[in-house]
């Protein structure tokens, strides 16, 4: 791809050459198909039909989010964000950007901002433990559910309200904020029944695409993040795609075309996202849902696997190098060279560790990421490399928009609807039925 003003650099040098590369004709055919998907995206953007494409430049909701955050923060030590799937994973990915490290550290310090933590999995034992650990008078619950009818989230809400009441909290409304679609639902009714504030989940944005809306923005403000920069990064990634002269210059189209070219050769059973940065580890969980739920349909799809570098070199690399293959590897690196603590020269040399003498921890990470890319490539694997200067709000927003667009374009190439989730709905309905049956 030619140099561009992209928030990050993408290289296909180890993807389009070597034994793991798809045939050039298959890649070119997929890129040609991307042109149709790009035209569709541009039309959706121009007509404002796809709400997601307007979210990065939306301003009107930021004031409401800031006001809600200020009200929540007053007298609050812990904000517990309740919700599951798309109502939680995006916010969780953003926690990597905050300065504070843990609830206990936050509470021991004189921090004036509350600690924000996410509770998604309704494990009866850990949820009970968490609830018991909260100071009822100083905890605020932000419950998020697009539909307002998800059993896991409602169970959390009901048990949290019960815990507060039993602890003598008189005014529940001061301890709950609800984000849900503006229509009747069990969650909206709960908010009304206690008089708690409600904020709108956009009607036109699906759960797993909602991180840049109120769903991610309110928790982000509570965590002290720069949400304008987050959205600016997303806007930059979107602009690059919308303004690309051809699919070959649109990073999200290039990514989708690479996936599709492999799929057309039956060589895409797995797609592996492999960031070499702790700050992108939770991001992998968000991306995994986005890819799986959007594209696993009609007997089609590929399994997203999210790993972390360098640590997973010591866990997964053997399989990735010598296992069945049929995978695309996306290695993500940030500028680490010359950063971090140093291995003191004298002691390292005395131990015969000349290669580490005077080297920084970031040099090690840089070398390991290069080594993994080459190891995979030399052994016939297809490797895409994404490099960002740093992980901050701007680059996180850009990455999120990039992967959402890549997923949507991939859906178009595969001929599946990237916006529905009938499998998830079926599970929800059955679970409710089993509960009703007792
Ligand atoms: O992305 C999706 O659509 C799902 O994962 C939902 O986010 C998840 O099921 C939670 O749904 P809701 O936000 O309606 O509670």
């Amino acid at each position: 791809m030619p140099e561009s003003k992209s928030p990050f650099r993408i290289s296909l040098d180890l993807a389009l050459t070597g034994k793991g590369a798809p045939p050039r004709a298959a890649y070119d055919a997929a890129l040609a198909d991307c042109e149709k998907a790009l035209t569709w995206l541009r039309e959706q953007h121009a007509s404002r039909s796809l709400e997601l494409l307007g979210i990065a430049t939306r301003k009107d909701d930021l004031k409401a989010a800031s006001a809600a955050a200020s009200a929540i923060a007053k007298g609050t030590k812990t904000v517990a964000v309740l919700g599951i799937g798309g109502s939680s994973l995006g916010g969780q990915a953003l926690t990597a950007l905050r300065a504070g490290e843990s609830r206990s550290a936050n509470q021991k310090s004189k921090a004036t901002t509350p600690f924000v933590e996410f509770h998604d999995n309704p494990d009866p034992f850990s949820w009970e433990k968490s609830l018991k650990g909260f100071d009822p008078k100083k905890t605020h619950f932000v419950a998020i559910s697009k539909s307002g009818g998800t059993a896991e989230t409602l169970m959390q809400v009901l048990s949290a309200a019960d815990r507060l009441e039993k602890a003598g909290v008189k005014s529940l409304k001061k301890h709950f904020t609800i984000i849900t679609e503006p229509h009747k639902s069990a969650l909206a009714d709960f908010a009304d029944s206690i008089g708690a504030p409600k904020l709108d989940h956009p009607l036109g944005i699906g759960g797993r695409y909602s991180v840049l809306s109120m769903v991610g923005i309110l928790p982000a403000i509570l965590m002290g993040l720069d949400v304008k920069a987050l959205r600016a990064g997303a806007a930059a990634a979107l602009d690059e795609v919308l303004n690309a002269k051809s699919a070959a210059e649109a990073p999200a189209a290039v990514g989708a075309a690479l996936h599709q070219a492999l799929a057309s050769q039956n060589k895409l059973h797995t797609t592996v996202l492999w960031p070499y940065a702790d700050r992108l580890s939770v991001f992998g969980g968000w991306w995994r849902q986005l890819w799986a739920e959007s594209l696993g349909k009609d007997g089609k799809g590929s399994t997203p696997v999210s790993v972390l570098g360098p640590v997973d070199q010591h866990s997964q690399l053997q399989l990735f190098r010598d296992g069945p293959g049929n995978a695309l590897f996306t290695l993500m690196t940030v500028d680490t060279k010359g950063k971090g603590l140093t291995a003191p020269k004298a002691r390292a040399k005395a131990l015969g560790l000349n290669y580490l003498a005077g080297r920084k921890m970031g040099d090690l990470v840089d070398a390991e990421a290069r080594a993994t890319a080459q190891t995979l490539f030399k052994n016939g694997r297809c490797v895409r490399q994404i490099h960002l200067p740093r992980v901050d709000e701007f680059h996180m927003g850009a990455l999120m928009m990039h992967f959402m667009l890549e997923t949507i374009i991939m859906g178009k190439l595969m001929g599946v609807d990237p916006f529905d989730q009938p499998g998830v709905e079926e599970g929800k309905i059955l679970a409710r039925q089993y509960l009703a049956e007792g």
Side-chain angles (χ1 to χ4, degrees):
M1 265 176 50
E3 278 296 310
S4 66
K5 284 194 229 105
S6 187
F8 36 77
R9 240 178 24 240
I10 301 184
S11 165
L12 298 191
D13 291 352
L14 307 184
L16 292 178
T17 55
K19 275 196 269 159
R24 189 70 204 201
Y27 177 67
D28 288 342
L31 259 189
D33 279 351
C34 284
E35 298 292 355
K36 280 178 249 156
L38 288 177
T39 303
W40 179 83
L41 275 178
R42 287 181 190 118
E43 283 166 5
Q44 296 293 309
H45 183 252
S47 62
R48 301 183 182 191
S49 312
L50 188 60
E51 207 175 334
L52 171 67
L53 303 181
I55 196 71
T57 45
R58 200 174 155 180
K59 302 265 182 316
D60 60 303
D61 56 344
L62 294 182
K63 224 172 150 188
S66 294
S70 305
I72 291 168
K74 236 175 252 160
T76 297
K77 275 280 182 194
T78 304
V79 174
V81 181
L82 313 180
I84 199 161
S87 286
S88 180
L89 291 167
Q92 288 188 42
L94 300 178
T95 58
L97 301 175
R98 71 173 153 212
E101 289 307 322
S102 69
R103 172 146 61 116
S104 53
N106 191 75
Q107 300 197 339
K108 269 185 220 136
S109 73
K110 295 214 165 66
T112 47
T113 51
F115 186 76
V116 181
E117 54 186 48
F118 287 77
H119 294 269
D120 53 359
N121 202 29
D123 179 279
F125 308 105
S126 40
W127 176 234
E128 189 172 353
K129 196 170 161 211
S130 299
L131 263 185
K132 279 188 183 148
F134 295 141
D135 175 346
K137 299 215 163 79
K138 293 185 176 160
T139 301
H140 194 101
F141 297 95
V142 174
I144 309 178
S145 171
K146 178 174 170 66
S147 61
T150 299
E152 293 92 329
T153 310
L154 290 166
M155 188 76 198
Q156 289 175 320
V157 165
L158 293 173
S159 49
D162 194 44
R163 157 94 168 107
L164 295 192
E165 274 177 332
K166 286 187 174 140
V169 170
K170 294 272 176 299
S171 179
L172 280 183
K173 69 175 179 189
K174 291 190 185 147
H175 294 269
F176 281 90
T177 298
I178 306 299
I179 301 178
T180 192
E181 286 184 334
H183 56 66
K184 189 172 165 49
S185 69
L187 190 59
D189 287 351
F190 167 78
D192 294 342
S193 71
I194 62 167
K198 281 185 297 189
L199 296 163
D200 287 349
H201 188 304
L203 286 164
I205 300 185
R208 57 192 175 276
Y209 296 94
S210 68
V211 58
L212 299 167
S213 76
M214 192 61 82
V215 171
I217 291 298
L218 178 63
I221 295 175
L222 284 162
M223 289 187 273
L225 305 185
D226 182 348
V227 291
K228 286 188 183 150
L230 185 78
R231 281 187 171 173
L238 175 65
D239 280 354
E240 191 175 13
V241 168
L242 294 177
N243 299 330
K245 290 199 186 76
S246 69
E249 289 183 22
V254 167
L258 185 59
H259 278 94
Q260 182 59 11
L262 289 169
S264 71
Q265 309 298 305
N266 197 19
K267 279 187 168 175
L268 187 73
H269 296 176
T270 312
T271 177
V272 179
L273 192 71
W274 199 337
Y276 272 68
D278 280 353
R279 293 186 118 195
L280 289 172
S281 144
V282 193
F283 173 84
W286 169 82
W287 163 81
R288 201 167 56 120
Q289 183 215 11
L290 177 69
W291 190 266
E293 225 171 78
S294 302
L295 303 174
K297 284 161 200 171
D298 307 338
K300 301 178 198 167
S302 43
T303 304
V305 174
S306 152
V307 291
L308 181 66
V311 65
D312 282 324
Q313 285 180 226
H314 305 270
S315 164
Q316 305 298 304
L317 183 54
Q318 175 59 45
L319 169 73
F320 292 159
R321 195 194 82 148
D322 294 342
N326 298 324
L328 170 63
F329 295 90
T330 300
L331 262 61
M332 291 174 33
T333 49
V334 298
D335 284 349
T336 57
K337 229 176 166 183
K339 296 189 176 154
L341 299 178
T342 311
K345 265 191 190 159
R347 177 159 290 165
K349 281 190 176 163
L351 294 171
L353 297 173
N354 288 0
Y355 68 92
L356 277 182
R359 295 294 197 177
K360 304 263 187 194
M361 182 78 92
D363 299 333
L364 175 64
V365 172
D366 180 73
E368 299 225 59
R370 281 169 52 201
T372 296
Q374 281 301 327
T375 300
L376 292 169
F377 173 70
K378 284 200 290 180
N379 287 278
R381 305 312 194 205
C382 184
V383 182
R384 166 173 65 162
Q385 293 164 288
I386 299 181
H387 182 81
L388 19 152
R390 63 196 157 274
V391 185
D392 56 11
E393 287 90 334
F394 180 85
H395 292 91
M396 183 68 96
L399 274 183
M400 286 176 151
M401 182 55 83
H402 167 83
F403 281 106
M404 288 193 279
L405 295 174
E406 182 169 299
T407 303
I408 294 168
I409 297 171
M410 185 65 184
K412 295 280 165 198
L413 297 184
M414 291 166 62
V416 301
D417 180 353
F419 299 112
D420 67 359
Q421 57 285 327
V424 183
E425 304 305 334
E426 186 177 340
K428 286 186 182 184
I429 291 165
L430 274 179
R432 282 200 290 263
Q433 189 186 312
Y434 296 155
L435 280 163
E437 287 165 5

